[in-house]
Amino acid sequence: MPRAAISPLDRPAQFLKSVGPKRAEQLARLGVRSARDLLFHVPRRYEDASTVLPIKSAEPGMEATLIGEVVSKGVILTRPGLRIFQAVIRDATGLIECAWPGQPFLDRSIRRGDLLLVAGPVRKFHRRQIQPREFIILGRADEAGDARGVVLPIYPSTEGLSQRQLRAILEANLDPLLEAIAPEEPFPPAQLRALGLPPLREALELMHRPASLADAERGRRRLAYEELFFLQLLHARAHHRATLARAGTPFVRTDALIGALYHRLPFRLTGAQTRALREIFADMTSPRRMNRLVQGDVGSGKTVVALFAMLLAVESGYQAALMAPTEILAEQHARTLRRLLADLPVRVVLVTGRLGAAERREVVQALAEGDAHIAVGTHALIQERVRFHRLGLAVVDEQHRFGVHQRRALAELGERADVLVMSATPIPRSLALTLYGDLDLTVLDELPPGRQRVRTTLRGPQSRAKIYEFVRGQVAEGRQAYLVYPLVEESEKVDLRAATEEYERLRTEVFPELRVGVVHGQMAGEEKDRTMRAFAAGELDILVSTTVIEVGIDVPNATVMVIEHAERFGLSQLHQLRGRVGRGAGASYCILVTDGEGEAARLRTFVATEDGFEIARADLRLRGMGDFFGAKQHGVPDFRHFDPEKDDDLLLRAREQARALVASDPELTAHPAFRDVLVSRYGEREKLYDVG
Ligand code: ADP
Ligand code: MG
């Protein structure tokens, strides 16, 4: 958007009304550096009469919002230095004391007869007392009538800057800022009208000065839509470039290999696998390039789906590559593929950093000359510049471990290779569309039949001895067990049983007669691999570990998964861990050990279901998007307004609109306003997707 250089929105926050150097510094801590930032510093939630309790029912231990008339007040002195402002408020049901430690100055602004809204924790000292985190003077009790209709915005704040002060700063500046933002509206009125959303200016006003919670929500939805639309536009452009703008390979299905594999599979494909293959084959046989994500629960059978896709490439005269995040996983895949392909004329080679020089030379040559058809490997595939004779399909397993760069680097090993990526953990469909909007999505929403439930239980630390006995019993029956800990080194602050220390204790004191191994994140890769291999080969009875075992390893003989300090893990992570057992014929168990009382409810959600999608939804709801993915996860968009629980409809509309727009106008020539916003928001990411 051509923005006047002198827009008042670009001025530093320090020059706003009611803001001096000290306030400016506090605002900066909130990320508010310019007038524009202030305008977009919207409330994180609201209080209103619908959340207000009768004073009588406020009980110690609660977070409560109360409204009452100030009937008495004053400053008291408890010990030297601490002065507490106190006020007693009353409603039709009773009285309660409000206390503001260290804020005697409030005596000047709060008067008897004021109608006060307070929100904060209720405690019991000698009397019932509330210590307001927030308060607002609604007016004089005899004039204000009741407080219905009052909506109190609660802003993200910082030390030394109270809600009152923030609200005052906003109120002093809001009108001119709203005037200034109006011309920056990127959407044509018709587009917003069709969605029932207000223009930008109005949306911001609704969020800062709502007359009702519904108003505030309408404003939030407008901002959420903008986030979604531009991200989808970014994705749509990436998708367009990756699929349509470059020729792909129209693979030809002869069924020579696909048919042979189909008939020799030891099981029938699930309905979901069949549907997925139909979508994948349709992409692959079309002249456009495929860019598809297969999402499925742990154990839904993604590997076989990938194998069929690779065979389509091979029977069309091309090669395929499958990249996995660890050596163990790559080796496991190579073994599985070779087993399933047995005497078919398909040569599978393994490419990892562990290859000896001679072997490596042989493999590299076979791939370059087209004698090897499928390369399974780690990132060594892209690092060691393996050359393919004719790579037609690039498959990335456990895609969250790789970035866009690596995915592309693999595809670039072929001239026009199709791309198939497989997720590790299910995430809600809407979220998949936001994160991976540049990919087409296939969901495997069905597990193979006959899979037995993993019996999951929640135990307190006092049960540890019993759990150890149980583990010993399983090992006596020839089974193996995982014992998982959340951290590597015991932190001084938190008393966690770290893997390394526990390992020593378990090995020498608890299970001296058993074979116990340990893997953790600080270990050298080689040592880690050696131990994992020993466990997979049945040379260890118990594997003590941190979450490094999380990804994809398959040891069917392991039947017990004990997770210590389960409250430290996200539900989706627990789900991944649980997915490591129940892979063989033996009955399997997942035992969560926790002393975190407060977390029990969350963990019970996990105990109650094995549906990964449901678990992911619960996890997302409980932890929010940032924590759900881990702060460092690659490419998670920084949404401030989008709420995956409420905005599915907007997301789907935004995606449709963005794709339609890009299909008719890929360079957005007719939509310069959209283009400008895209560049200013996602300039760097746009480059990421640039295809030379
Ligand atoms: P994930 O989707 O977690 O990668 P895998 O591809 O490793 O799952 O498959 C898990 C297990 O299920 C494997 O042992 C695989 O052979 C088996 N499997 C896959 N598809 C089916 C099916 N249709 N029926 C029965 N077992 C299947
Ligand atoms: Mg897998």
Side-chain angles (χ1 to χ4, degrees):
M1 174 124 352
R3 196 187 275 161
I6 45 160
S7 166
L9 292 170
D10 293 324
R11 292 173 47 202
Q14 186 173 342
F15 301 117
L16 289 162
K17 275 184 233 158
S18 310
V19 178
K22 177 167 153 243
R23 288 268 178 273
E25 191 196 300
Q26 290 164 333
L27 286 173
R29 260 186 271 142
L30 295 169
V32 175
R33 298 198 170 72
S34 66
R36 181 189 309 279
D37 294 339
L38 182 71
L39 185 56
F40 282 90
H41 190 69
V42 296
R44 85 185 123 78
R45 63 188 174 85
Y46 298 87
E47 300 277 6
D48 86 331
S50 69
T51 60
V52 170
L53 278 182
I55 287 179
K56 180 176 58 140
S57 17
E59 281 172 27
M62 275 182 177
E63 284 284 325
T65 303
L66 309 171
I67 292 181
E69 176 185 350
V70 178
V71 292
S72 66
K73 63 154 193 168
V75 173
I76 61 163
L77 197 67
T78 45
R79 55 185 157 80
L82 187 66
R83 299 207 292 157
I84 303 181
F85 174 67
Q86 287 193 341
V88 174
I89 61 168
R90 177 177 67 194
D91 71 3
T93 67
L95 297 165
I96 193 168
E97 187 176 280
C98 312
W100 286 267
Q103 300 183 54
F105 49 84
L106 288 178
D107 199 24
R108 270 175 282 141
S109 36
I110 295 178
R111 294 175 300 161
R112 276 183 61 175
D114 281 346
L115 191 62
L116 212 57
L117 179 151
V118 291
V122 180
R123 308 221 164 100
K124 175 102 189 157
F125 289 113
H126 24 274
R127 287 187 276 282
R128 227 166 28 129
Q129 184 184 80
I130 184 166
Q131 292 201 354
R133 270 194 258 281
E134 328 277 2
F135 77 95
I136 188 170
I137 300 165
L138 299 171
R140 299 294 294 169
D142 42 12
E143 297 158 8
D146 71 351
R148 246 188 296 279
V150 174
V151 180
L152 182 64
I154 309 293
Y155 289 94
S157 191
T158 180
E159 211 184 314
L161 191 59
S162 72
Q163 290 294 325
R164 278 174 78 72
Q165 288 158 342
L166 255 174
R167 279 193 289 264
I169 293 172
L170 268 150
E171 211 26 69
N173 294 283
L174 194 54
D175 288 315
L177 296 185
L178 289 171
E179 280 316 309
I181 198 75
E184 293 190 18
E185 173 65 58
F187 296 116
Q191 188 171 346
L192 293 174
R193 236 179 291 122
L195 292 158
L197 296 174
L200 180 58
R201 180 216 146 108
E202 191 187 331
L204 286 164
E205 183 160 20
L206 287 172
M207 293 199 76
H208 289 296
R209 285 181 189 142
S212 67
L213 292 182
D215 267 5
E217 175 64 5
R218 243 161 61 77
R220 183 196 65 77
R221 295 248 305 166
R222 162 63 177 77
L223 298 190
Y225 172 71
E226 185 165 337
E227 289 180 333
L228 292 169
F229 180 79
F230 286 105
L231 185 66
Q232 290 301 329
L233 202 52
L234 175 80
H235 285 326
R237 285 184 24 99
H239 177 258
H240 182 84
R241 289 181 213 176
T243 58
L244 301 171
R246 277 176 92 192
T249 309
F251 296 100
V252 179
R253 185 168 163 186
T254 67
D255 263 358
L257 296 172
I258 290 174
L261 174 66
Y262 190 81
H263 290 298
R264 69 176 50 201
L265 271 189
F267 44 72
R268 285 171 59 102
L269 293 179
T270 63
Q273 285 171 320
T274 307
R275 282 191 297 278
L277 282 171
R278 205 175 297 137
E279 290 175 358
I280 291 167
F281 287 171
D283 278 359
M284 290 181 69
T285 51
S286 89
R288 51 165 243 174
R289 284 180 110 194
M290 172 168 75
N291 260 281
R292 188 170 281 281
L293 168 66
V294 176
Q295 264 247 91
D297 207 339
V298 180
S300 57
K302 293 183 284 281
T303 316
V304 169
V305 170
L307 176 55
F308 273 107
M310 292 192 282
L311 288 189
L312 174 55
V314 175
E315 70 180 26
S316 306
Y318 287 82
Q319 294 164 298
L322 167 61
M323 182 163 73
T326 63
E327 289 190 349
I328 302 231
L329 210 54
E331 287 166 16
Q332 197 173 283
H333 281 324
R335 252 196 321 274
T336 304
L337 265 47
R338 283 176 184 147
R339 194 182 64 233
L340 289 171
L341 298 172
D343 45 355
L344 291 178
V346 180
R347 182 166 172 213
V348 178
V349 293
L350 184 64
V351 181
T352 71
R354 276 163 54 90
L355 287 186
E359 204 181 352
R360 186 172 181 285
R361 217 173 304 121
E362 203 277 317
V363 162
V364 164
Q365 189 180 355
L367 286 171
E369 290 175 0
D371 294 336
H373 308 95
I374 297 179
V376 179
T378 56
H379 50 269
L381 278 169
I382 47 181
Q383 276 171 359
E384 306 202 4
R385 302 184 185 284
V386 175
R387 293 220 336 276
F388 284 82
H389 174 60
R390 226 152 67 119
L391 181 67
L393 174 67
V395 184
V396 178
D397 191 21
E398 310 284 344
Q399 135 289 329
H400 73 297
R401 297 281 162 134
F402 297 105
V404 178
H405 283 301
Q406 286 162 307
R407 193 201 299 164
R408 268 190 42 198
L410 188 66
E412 296 300 307
L413 297 177
E415 220 162 87
R416 46 179 65 174
D418 278 2
V419 176
L420 186 64
V421 305
M422 300 193 286
S423 76
T425 315
I427 60 175
R429 184 183 185 91
S430 60
L431 211 55
L433 295 181
T434 24
L435 290 181
Y436 313 116
D438 57 320
L439 301 166
D440 293 303
L441 180 63
T442 288
V443 179
L444 286 180
D445 51 4
E446 187 183 347
L447 289 183
R451 191 76 36 99
Q452 47 168 320
R453 276 194 67 109
V454 175
R455 276 167 242 182
T456 307
T457 49
L458 195 57
R459 293 280 178 263
Q462 74 284 353
S463 307
R464 225 168 246 132
K466 269 205 201 134
I467 296 169
Y468 294 150
E469 270 323 296
F470 180 73
V471 167
R472 206 186 305 278
Q474 288 284 304
V475 171
E477 290 179 27
R479 306 299 185 189
Q480 291 162 280
Y482 297 99
L483 265 61
V484 178
Y485 293 83
L487 273 190
V488 180
E489 232 49 292
E490 192 137 321
S491 121
E492 285 171 6
K493 286 199 200 121
V494 203
D495 178 24
L496 290 179
R497 290 165 177 273
T500 42
E501 286 188 14
E502 275 298 294
Y503 165 63
E504 283 308 318
R505 192 179 69 85
L506 291 166
R507 190 176 62 89
T508 55
E509 293 170 30
V510 184
F511 301 113
E513 79 284 15
L514 301 183
R515 300 164 302 172
V516 185
V518 65
V519 290
H520 57 73
Q522 313 297 304
M523 247 174 177
E526 222 169 280
E527 199 186 345
K528 196 156 59 189
D529 277 1
R530 201 175 328 115
T531 308
M532 299 283 278
R533 274 194 194 89
F535 186 73
E539 292 156 16
L540 293 172
D541 303 308
I542 296 175
L543 185 64
V544 177
S545 88
T546 56
T547 47
V548 290
I549 57 159
E550 183 182 337
V551 167
I553 186 164
D554 191 18
V555 182
N557 190 47
T559 53
V560 190
M561 168 65 64
V562 180
I563 304 172
E564 292 273 356
H565 293 279
E567 75 281 357
R568 298 256 144 197
F569 294 87
L571 297 187
S572 296
Q573 223 177 352
L574 291 175
H575 183 61
Q576 263 289 339
L577 288 168
R578 178 166 59 184
R580 297 307 109 215
V581 295
R583 305 177 80 86
S588 293
Y589 307 86
C590 177
I591 304 168
L592 309 181
V593 187
T594 181
D595 46 15
E597 283 294 318
E599 295 287 324
R602 189 170 74 96
L603 294 176
R604 269 194 291 273
T605 309
F606 173 77
V607 170
T609 178
E610 281 195 66
D611 179 338
F613 285 98
E614 197 179 320
I615 288 170
R617 272 193 299 277
D619 204 14
L620 183 66
R621 190 168 57 241
L622 294 164
R623 289 198 302 164
M625 220 169 332
D627 285 344
F628 180 76
F629 290 102
K632 286 188 284 273
Q633 169 99 20
H634 182 95
V636 177
D638 179 19
F639 289 123
R640 293 180 59 196
H641 310 291
F642 167 55
D643 181 338
E645 279 206 85
K646 293 185 188 157
D647 300 333
D648 258 21
D649 57 328
L650 289 180
L651 167 60
L652 294 176
R653 289 297 294 275
R655 180 173 160 98
E656 266 164 40
Q657 291 166 335
R659 285 207 169 183
L661 184 64
V662 168
S664 65
D665 181 12
E667 293 309 315
L668 303 177
T669 357
H671 300 84
F674 288 166
R675 222 205 131 85
D676 287 344
V677 176
L678 207 55
V679 169
S680 77
R681 263 184 221 187
Y682 293 114
E684 285 306 306
R685 289 223 9 223
E686 270 258 276
K687 271 185 237 140
L688 243 178
Y689 288 113
D690 258 324
V691 180

